[in-house]
Amino acid sequence: MNTRIINLTEPFVAEEIEKILETYPFHPYQQVFAHPELRQKLMAHVLSRIPNQYAVVKTPESCHIAMEKIHASIALQLDVKAAIHQGIRQLFELNADWAVGHIPSPDEPSYAASSWFG
């Protein structure tokens, strides 16, 4: 029988980060956290501040059952959401200088939709 240990918290946190970032303005927050390195830092920030849950699974079906249980924990959901918002604020402030050079300003002509088609 082939068993695996899986981190149940990581996919849950990734899903919550997506949902929460969608509520932030596209410029600059969504643009900054679209960068893979900053997205990883945000993920690490959250995972280091909450209790991670693991499961030993034998089949893919048991993996899905275990993941449904993590979604049921209201306390964990609140902790994850708070850690995500905190991480977004902290990482955005720490990387503000980087963001200036890597994302276009909404004032730049190439950023305006009217210039996209000529």
Side-chain angles (χ1 to χ4, degrees), residues 5 13 43 65 82 91 100 115 118:
I5 297 175
V13 168
M43 185 76 139
I65 292 168
L91 290 169
V100 169
S115 72

Side-chain angles (χ1 to χ4, degrees), residues 85-101:
H85 286 293
Q86 178 191 44
I88 289 171
R89 285 191 307 274
Q90 285 182 357
L91 290 169
F92 188 80
E93 288 174 14
L94 289 172
N95 294 284
D97 292 337
W98 174 89
V100 169

Side-chain angles (χ1 to χ4, degrees), residues 38-104:
L38 288 177
R39 183 64 69 101
Q40 279 299 107
K41 285 182 180 181
L42 179 56
M43 185 76 139
H45 172 90
V46 175
L47 289 172
S48 69
R49 284 161 175 76
I50 60 169
N52 281 259
Q53 297 179 16
Y54 298 88
V56 177
V57 295
K58 296 179 183 181
T59 65
E61 294 80 30
S62 61
C63 178
H64 292 295
I65 292 168
M67 292 189 111
E68 286 177 12
K69 289 180 182 178
I70 196 168
H71 287 277
S73 170
I74 300 297
L76 177 64
Q77 289 178 20
L78 293 174
D79 290 345
V80 167
K81 289 177 182 184
I84 291 170
H85 286 293
Q86 178 191 44
I88 289 171
R89 285 191 307 274
Q90 285 182 357
L91 290 169
F92 188 80
E93 288 174 14
L94 289 172
N95 294 284
D97 292 337
W98 174 89
V100 169
H102 287 83
I103 61 170

